[in-house]
Amino acid sequence: MENCIFCKIANKEIPSNFLYEDEYTVAFNDLNPQAPTHILVIPKKHFASLNELDDEKVMSALFKAVQNVTNKLGIKEYRTVINTGESAGQTVFHIHIHILAGRPLKWPPG
Ligand code: AMP
Ligand code: ZN
């Protein structure tokens, strides 16, 4: 999708260091990390949010990618977050899974 920053990252229009890549997904470090480890896992195909994600192959690939990237980096304990909609904190409308680790994380989140 045009003017989508994460589409540009996924299709390598914007250079980024991928921590992980497969047929359906890529993972890279968040620009503004909220924890010592803050990774984003995104599908290569554009879906604005979880509400629009209707491809089960991509759904499973996203969770497999979380397992693969955490396993690759030796991260055993982490939080995954998907913000859906503005009031939930979504600012980039290309679905992404946050992986946060490396410090104790409080619950409930703010
Ligand atoms: P959310 O608020 O859930 O939509 O998360 C969007 C995340 O994308 C934020 O944590 C931003 O710091 C991050 N972000 C925005 N632009 C970039 C970028 N160019 N590269 C990496 N992370 C980004
Ligand atoms: Zn996109």
Side-chain angles (χ1 to χ4, degrees), residues 55-74:
D55 182 329
E56 289 183 14
K57 266 199 183 137
V58 175
M59 283 181 186
S60 59
L62 283 168
F63 281 93
K64 197 71 212 166
V66 171
Q67 291 180 329
N68 287 338
V69 72
T70 53
N71 191 39
K72 184 177 167 189
L73 299 176

PDB file of all heavy atoms in Angstrom, residues 55-74:
ATOM      1  N   ASP A  55      -6.362 -13.477   6.511  1.00  0.00           N
ATOM      2  CA  ASP A  55      -5.611 -14.525   5.825  1.00  0.00           C
ATOM      3  C   ASP A  55      -4.982 -15.426   6.895  1.00  0.00           C
ATOM      4  O   ASP A  55      -4.066 -15.007   7.609  1.00  0.00           O
ATOM      5  CB  ASP A  55      -4.546 -13.858   4.941  1.00  0.00           C
ATOM      6  CG  ASP A  55      -3.738 -14.868   4.143  1.00  0.00           C
ATOM      7  OD1 ASP A  55      -3.535 -16.001   4.633  1.00  0.00           O
ATOM      8  OD2 ASP A  55      -3.294 -14.510   3.043  1.00  0.00           O
ATOM      9  N   GLU A  56      -5.496 -16.640   6.989  1.00  0.00           N
ATOM     10  CA  GLU A  56      -5.050 -17.509   8.090  1.00  0.00           C
ATOM     11  C   GLU A  56      -3.597 -17.936   7.954  1.00  0.00           C
ATOM     12  O   GLU A  56      -2.926 -18.202   8.956  1.00  0.00           O
ATOM     13  CB  GLU A  56      -5.983 -18.724   8.213  1.00  0.00           C
ATOM     14  CG  GLU A  56      -7.333 -18.286   8.746  1.00  0.00           C
ATOM     15  CD  GLU A  56      -8.320 -19.411   8.976  1.00  0.00           C
ATOM     16  OE1 GLU A  56      -7.914 -20.580   8.984  1.00  0.00           O
ATOM     17  OE2 GLU A  56      -9.504 -19.078   9.131  1.00  0.00           O
ATOM     18  N   LYS A  57      -3.102 -17.988   6.722  1.00  0.00           N
ATOM     19  CA  LYS A  57      -1.676 -18.305   6.539  1.00  0.00           C
ATOM     20  C   LYS A  57      -0.823 -17.212   7.164  1.00  0.00           C
ATOM     21  O   LYS A  57       0.180 -17.476   7.822  1.00  0.00           O
ATOM     22  CB  LYS A  57      -1.351 -18.388   5.040  1.00  0.00           C
ATOM     23  CG  LYS A  57      -1.442 -19.775   4.493  1.00  0.00           C
ATOM     24  CD  LYS A  57      -0.679 -19.882   3.188  1.00  0.00           C
ATOM     25  CE  LYS A  57      -0.848 -21.276   2.642  1.00  0.00           C
ATOM     26  NZ  LYS A  57      -1.093 -21.316   1.209  1.00  0.00           N
ATOM     27  N   VAL A  58      -1.219 -15.972   6.932  1.00  0.00           N
ATOM     28  CA  VAL A  58      -0.466 -14.844   7.486  1.00  0.00           C
ATOM     29  C   VAL A  58      -0.599 -14.811   9.006  1.00  0.00           C
ATOM     30  O   VAL A  58       0.370 -14.559   9.721  1.00  0.00           O
ATOM     31  CB  VAL A  58      -0.922 -13.510   6.841  1.00  0.00           C
ATOM     32  CG1 VAL A  58      -0.243 -12.328   7.499  1.00  0.00           C
ATOM     33  CG2 VAL A  58      -0.643 -13.527   5.348  1.00  0.00           C
ATOM     34  N   MET A  59      -1.806 -15.095   9.497  1.00  0.00           N
ATOM     35  CA  MET A  59      -2.005 -15.128  10.962  1.00  0.00           C
ATOM     36  C   MET A  59      -1.045 -16.113  11.605  1.00  0.00           C
ATOM     37  O   MET A  59      -0.357 -15.783  12.575  1.00  0.00           O
ATOM     38  CB  MET A  59      -3.425 -15.589  11.304  1.00  0.00           C
ATOM     39  CG  MET A  59      -4.478 -14.555  11.108  1.00  0.00           C
ATOM     40  SD  MET A  59      -6.070 -15.266  11.583  1.00  0.00           S
ATOM     41  CE  MET A  59      -7.133 -13.949  11.091  1.00  0.00           C
ATOM     42  N   SER A  60      -0.991 -17.315  11.086  1.00  0.00           N
ATOM     43  CA  SER A  60      -0.116 -18.316  11.714  1.00  0.00           C
ATOM     44  C   SER A  60       1.341 -17.955  11.483  1.00  0.00           C
ATOM     45  O   SER A  60       2.180 -18.156  12.374  1.00  0.00           O
ATOM     46  CB  SER A  60      -0.448 -19.723  11.240  1.00  0.00           C
ATOM     47  OG  SER A  60      -0.316 -19.811   9.864  1.00  0.00           O
ATOM     48  N   ALA A  61       1.655 -17.391  10.328  1.00  0.00           N
ATOM     49  CA  ALA A  61       3.047 -17.017  10.051  1.00  0.00           C
ATOM     50  C   ALA A  61       3.533 -15.949  11.027  1.00  0.00           C
ATOM     51  O   ALA A  61       4.699 -15.951  11.442  1.00  0.00           O
ATOM     52  CB  ALA A  61       3.183 -16.512   8.613  1.00  0.00           C
ATOM     53  N   LEU A  62       2.642 -15.033  11.415  1.00  0.00           N
ATOM     54  CA  LEU A  62       3.049 -13.977  12.354  1.00  0.00           C
ATOM     55  C   LEU A  62       3.445 -14.588  13.704  1.00  0.00           C
ATOM     56  O   LEU A  62       4.466 -14.212  14.287  1.00  0.00           O
ATOM     57  CB  LEU A  62       1.910 -12.971  12.547  1.00  0.00           C
ATOM     58  CG  LEU A  62       1.705 -11.969  11.410  1.00  0.00           C
ATOM     59  CD1 LEU A  62       0.385 -11.232  11.578  1.00  0.00           C
ATOM     60  CD2 LEU A  62       2.862 -10.971  11.344  1.00  0.00           C
ATOM     61  N   PHE A  63       2.654 -15.535  14.187  1.00  0.00           N
ATOM     62  CA  PHE A  63       2.980 -16.149  15.481  1.00  0.00           C
ATOM     63  C   PHE A  63       4.194 -17.059  15.381  1.00  0.00           C
ATOM     64  O   PHE A  63       5.015 -17.120  16.299  1.00  0.00           O
ATOM     65  CB  PHE A  63       1.751 -16.860  16.064  1.00  0.00           C
ATOM     66  CG  PHE A  63       0.812 -15.877  16.685  1.00  0.00           C
ATOM     67  CD1 PHE A  63      -0.231 -15.344  15.969  1.00  0.00           C
ATOM     68  CD2 PHE A  63       1.023 -15.429  17.978  1.00  0.00           C
ATOM     69  CE1 PHE A  63      -1.069 -14.385  16.528  1.00  0.00           C
ATOM     70  CE2 PHE A  63       0.198 -14.474  18.559  1.00  0.00           C
ATOM     71  CZ  PHE A  63      -0.854 -13.955  17.828  1.00  0.00           C
ATOM     72  N   LYS A  64       4.330 -17.719  14.251  1.00  0.00           N
ATOM     73  CA  LYS A  64       5.528 -18.543  14.030  1.00  0.00           C
ATOM     74  C   LYS A  64       6.764 -17.635  14.005  1.00  0.00           C
ATOM     75  O   LYS A  64       7.823 -17.986  14.540  1.00  0.00           O
ATOM     76  CB  LYS A  64       5.374 -19.300  12.702  1.00  0.00           C
ATOM     77  CG  LYS A  64       6.296 -20.468  12.535  1.00  0.00           C
ATOM     78  CD  LYS A  64       5.906 -21.620  13.440  1.00  0.00           C
ATOM     79  CE  LYS A  64       7.157 -22.375  13.855  1.00  0.00           C
ATOM     80  NZ  LYS A  64       6.940 -23.286  14.972  1.00  0.00           N
ATOM     81  N   ALA A  65       6.621 -16.471  13.401  1.00  0.00           N
ATOM     82  CA  ALA A  65       7.749 -15.532  13.324  1.00  0.00           C
ATOM     83  C   ALA A  65       8.138 -15.033  14.713  1.00  0.00           C
ATOM     84  O   ALA A  65       9.325 -14.855  15.009  1.00  0.00           O
ATOM     85  CB  ALA A  65       7.397 -14.354  12.414  1.00  0.00           C
ATOM     86  N   VAL A  66       7.139 -14.816  15.583  1.00  0.00           N
ATOM     87  CA  VAL A  66       7.448 -14.420  16.968  1.00  0.00           C
ATOM     88  C   VAL A  66       8.274 -15.522  17.626  1.00  0.00           C
ATOM     89  O   VAL A  66       9.310 -15.256  18.260  1.00  0.00           O
ATOM     90  CB  VAL A  66       6.158 -14.142  17.775  1.00  0.00           C
ATOM     91  CG1 VAL A  66       6.480 -13.960  19.256  1.00  0.00           C
ATOM     92  CG2 VAL A  66       5.447 -12.905  17.246  1.00  0.00           C
ATOM     93  N   GLN A  67       7.843 -16.762  17.469  1.00  0.00           N
ATOM     94  CA  GLN A  67       8.604 -17.883  18.051  1.00  0.00           C
ATOM     95  C   GLN A  67      10.010 -17.943  17.457  1.00  0.00           C
ATOM     96  O   GLN A  67      10.991 -18.137  18.181  1.00  0.00           O
ATOM     97  CB  GLN A  67       7.896 -19.217  17.774  1.00  0.00           C
ATOM     98  CG  GLN A  67       6.602 -19.381  18.530  1.00  0.00           C
ATOM     99  CD  GLN A  67       5.936 -20.711  18.217  1.00  0.00           C
ATOM    100  OE1 GLN A  67       6.071 -21.240  17.113  1.00  0.00           O
ATOM    101  NE2 GLN A  67       5.208 -21.248  19.167  1.00  0.00           N
ATOM    102  N   ASN A  68      10.097 -17.779  16.153  1.00  0.00           N
ATOM    103  CA  ASN A  68      11.405 -17.920  15.491  1.00  0.00           C
ATOM    104  C   ASN A  68      12.377 -16.816  15.891  1.00  0.00           C
ATOM    105  O   ASN A  68      13.545 -17.079  16.159  1.00  0.00           O
ATOM    106  CB  ASN A  68      11.237 -17.945  13.971  1.00  0.00           C
ATOM    107  CG  ASN A  68      10.646 -19.247  13.480  1.00  0.00           C
ATOM    108  OD1 ASN A  68      10.718 -20.274  14.161  1.00  0.00           O
ATOM    109  ND2 ASN A  68      10.053 -19.228  12.298  1.00  0.00           N
ATOM    110  N   VAL A  69      11.888 -15.581  15.931  1.00  0.00           N
ATOM    111  CA  VAL A  69      12.816 -14.478  16.228  1.00  0.00           C
ATOM    112  C   VAL A  69      13.229 -14.510  17.696  1.00  0.00           C
ATOM    113  O   VAL A  69      14.404 -14.268  18.020  1.00  0.00           O
ATOM    114  CB  VAL A  69      12.256 -13.105  15.776  1.00  0.00           C
ATOM    115  CG1 VAL A  69      11.122 -12.619  16.644  1.00  0.00           C
ATOM    116  CG2 VAL A  69      13.370 -12.057  15.760  1.00  0.00           C
ATOM    117  N   THR A  70      12.315 -14.825  18.594  1.00  0.00           N
ATOM    118  CA  THR A  70      12.691 -14.891  20.016  1.00  0.00           C
ATOM    119  C   THR A  70      13.642 -16.065  20.251  1.00  0.00           C
ATOM    120  O   THR A  70      14.622 -15.939  20.980  1.00  0.00           O
ATOM    121  CB  THR A  70      11.453 -14.993  20.941  1.00  0.00           C
ATOM    122  OG1 THR A  70      10.633 -16.072  20.506  1.00  0.00           O
ATOM    123  CG2 THR A  70      10.666 -13.705  20.953  1.00  0.00           C
ATOM    124  N   ASN A  71      13.365 -17.161  19.596  1.00  0.00           N
ATOM    125  CA  ASN A  71      14.235 -18.333  19.714  1.00  0.00           C
ATOM    126  C   ASN A  71      15.631 -18.015  19.173  1.00  0.00           C
ATOM    127  O   ASN A  71      16.655 -18.311  19.802  1.00  0.00           O
ATOM    128  CB  ASN A  71      13.591 -19.493  18.938  1.00  0.00           C
ATOM    129  CG  ASN A  71      14.282 -20.791  19.228  1.00  0.00           C
ATOM    130  OD1 ASN A  71      14.659 -21.046  20.364  1.00  0.00           O
ATOM    131  ND2 ASN A  71      14.464 -21.612  18.220  1.00  0.00           N
ATOM    132  N   LYS A  72      15.659 -17.361  18.020  1.00  0.00           N
ATOM    133  CA  LYS A  72      16.942 -16.999  17.390  1.00  0.00           C
ATOM    134  C   LYS A  72      17.772 -16.091  18.300  1.00  0.00           C
ATOM    135  O   LYS A  72      18.991 -16.217  18.377  1.00  0.00           O
ATOM    136  CB  LYS A  72      16.629 -16.281  16.066  1.00  0.00           C
ATOM    137  CG  LYS A  72      17.821 -15.923  15.229  1.00  0.00           C
ATOM    138  CD  LYS A  72      17.370 -15.292  13.910  1.00  0.00           C
ATOM    139  CE  LYS A  72      18.553 -14.640  13.223  1.00  0.00           C
ATOM    140  NZ  LYS A  72      18.136 -13.840  12.062  1.00  0.00           N
ATOM    141  N   LEU A  73      17.091 -15.183  18.995  1.00  0.00           N
ATOM    142  CA  LEU A  73      17.800 -14.220  19.850  1.00  0.00           C
ATOM    143  C   LEU A  73      17.931 -14.709  21.292  1.00  0.00           C
ATOM    144  O   LEU A  73      18.454 -13.993  22.145  1.00  0.00           O
ATOM    145  CB  LEU A  73      17.085 -12.870  19.815  1.00  0.00           C
ATOM    146  CG  LEU A  73      17.005 -12.212  18.429  1.00  0.00           C
ATOM    147  CD1 LEU A  73      16.192 -10.935  18.481  1.00  0.00           C
ATOM    148  CD2 LEU A  73      18.397 -11.916  17.876  1.00  0.00           C
ATOM    149  N   GLY A  74      17.432 -15.905  21.580  1.00  0.00           N
ATOM    150  CA  GLY A  74      17.556 -16.465  22.930  1.00  0.00           C
ATOM    151  C   GLY A  74      16.681 -15.756  23.948  1.00  0.00           C
ATOM    152  O   GLY A  74      17.000 -15.730  25.137  1.00  0.00           O
TER     153      GLY A  74
END
